[in-house]
């Protein structure tokens, strides 16, 4: 059994980023990976502007406080005012450019208007409530790095410098297949001995969450020939083949034999619970990942191994999930040789609670949880002990 860290290293070392990129509309670019850096041609904001509804003044014009000035102009957002006449104030609104000559904005809450005059109750400090030109982005500044996975703030930022399109890496095409004579699709009658192919829905959602295009080869019977055919069909059309089930040690587990016949297995069995039977290799030069069939094992191995591999192939620079230091609200001992990932969630007291049934066939545990607790092999954890916690936000999507 290979340690998990070594297995992740092995996969990442073979994850060559796709070479091709394409332009997409900024509004459609969520989740895609930037193929080139974004540099701003403009300042954001373009001009010094008001951070409040109020009055623009020259501080030196206000002698004694309270003090009164005539209002010489009115500037709304979207307009540009005239230079501020000495000894006057300009009525101004949030986002409107501050007129040349003014050096502060006084919020209207600190003033009293009487017709065309305004009285100031507090002394303004020079610069107050002025958002300087370039406060957010200076002209020529690098705004987004190549390899950024685009999240909502990134799209807003790109739009704030006027970009209608972004150059992103092309989507990774992932061929998937589900082995098992027991599987039927939801919508079909469930004969005795059968179960629904729930992993199809789980895996497809995980892949779409990473922006992949999914090419589904469907259910494959537990036979060597059928498994070989499905593998080569998937490899012909995709950048990565992922199978589900059939990688354990049982007589009906044909996936490794089929991969060996069409390519090679480079790695099998990780010191990981759940997820020990994970396999990695290639089919005719296309990388192959064999996920275990138990739904939680498949989910955990996808999150810890397949996801970083896919992100790196999609050109992302930030591929490996980051654990947070948390404390256990449970007791557990892991006497075996495998590193264990428990389905947990953050309780109201800030401690991690563990789901009662940590069985790899119980998908309810993952639906209940909000993350995984990382328990080193051989460790005994008491209540209150520090435990690394991987929130699902670092593992899905
Ligand atoms: P395997 O890895 O093929 O030995 O499967 C391990 C367990 O996962 C068995 O109980 C299978 O019935 C179950 N399993 C395999 N594939 C799926 C699937 N696609 N959806 C739901 N359960 C599955
Ligand atoms: Mg099976």
């Amino acid at each position: 059994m290979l340690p998990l860290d070594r297995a992740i290293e092995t996969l990442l070392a073979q994850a060559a980023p796709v070479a091709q990129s394409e332009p997409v509309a900024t509004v459609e670019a969520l989740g895609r990976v930037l193929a080139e850096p974004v540099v701003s041609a403009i300042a954001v904001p373009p001009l010094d502007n008001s951070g409040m509804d109020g009055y623009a003044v020259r501080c030196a014009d206000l002698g004694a406080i309270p003090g009164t000035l005539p209002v010489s102009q009115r500037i709304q957002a979207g307009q540009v005012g005239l230079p501020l006449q000495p000894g006057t104030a300009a009525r101004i609104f949030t986002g409107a450019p501050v007129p040349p000559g003014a050096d502060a904005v006084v919020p209207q809450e600190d003033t009293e208007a009487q017709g065309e005059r305004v009285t100031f109750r507090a002394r303004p400090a020079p610069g107050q409530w002025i958002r300087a030109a370039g406060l957010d982005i200076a002209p020529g500044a690098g705004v987004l790095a190549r390899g950024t996975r685009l999240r909502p703030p990134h799209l807003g930022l790109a739009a704030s410098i006027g970009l209608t399109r972004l150059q992103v890496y092309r989507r990774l095409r992932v061929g998937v297949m589900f082995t098992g004579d027991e599987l039927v699709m939801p919508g079909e009658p469930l004969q005795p001995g059968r179960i629904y192919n729930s992993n199809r829905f789980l895996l497809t959602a995980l892949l779409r969450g990473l922006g992949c295009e999914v090419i589904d080869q469907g259910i494959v019977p537990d036979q060597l020939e059928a498994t070989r055919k499905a593998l080569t069909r998937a490899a012909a059309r995709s950048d990565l083949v992922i199978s589900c089930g059939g990688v354990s040690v049982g007589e009906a587990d044909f996936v490794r034999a089929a991969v060996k016949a069409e390519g090679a297995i480079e790695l099998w069995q990780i010191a990981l619970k759940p997820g020990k039977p994970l396999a990695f290799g290639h089919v005719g030069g296309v990388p192959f990942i064999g996920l275990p069939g138990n739904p939680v094992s498949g989910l955990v191995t996808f999150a810890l191994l397949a996801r970083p591999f896919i992100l790196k192939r999609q050109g992302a620079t930030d591929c490996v999930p980051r654990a947070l230091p948390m404390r256990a609200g449970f007791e557990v001992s892991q006497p075996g040789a495998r590193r264990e990932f428990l389905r947990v969630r953050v309780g109201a007291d800030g401690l991690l609670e563990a789901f009662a049934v940590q069985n790899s066939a119980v998908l309810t545990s993952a639906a209940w949880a909000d993350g995984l607790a990382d328990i080193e092999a051989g460790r005994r954890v008491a209540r209150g002990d520090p435990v690394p916690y991987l929130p699902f936000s670092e593992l899905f999507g």
Side-chain angles (χ1 to χ4, degrees), residues 178-179 182-183 195-199 244-248 253 292-295:
F178 304 89
T179 71
E182 72 276 36
L183 301 177
I195 60 166
Y196 288 120
N197 180 8
S198 55
N199 284 347
C244 174
V247 282
S248 292
D253 292 329
N294 272 311

Side-chain angles (χ1 to χ4, degrees), residues 16-99:
V18 295
Q20 304 88 345
S21 67
E22 60 194 10
V24 297
T26 305
V27 75
E28 301 295 339
L30 185 66
R32 304 296 295 273
V33 179
L34 268 184
E36 51 188 41
V38 169
V39 174
S40 181
I42 62 169
V44 179
L47 298 171
D48 290 357
N49 69 96
S50 178
M52 280 293 211
D53 294 326
Y55 296 85
V57 298
R58 189 184 282 105
C59 293
D61 288 344
L62 279 169
I65 290 292
T68 300
L69 296 174
V71 178
S72 55
Q73 61 178 318
R74 182 186 161 89
I75 313 169
Q76 281 189 215
Q79 301 174 338
V80 175
L82 300 168
L84 185 67
Q85 283 172 40
T88 74
R91 181 74 171 118
I92 197 163
F93 299 91
T94 306
V98 173

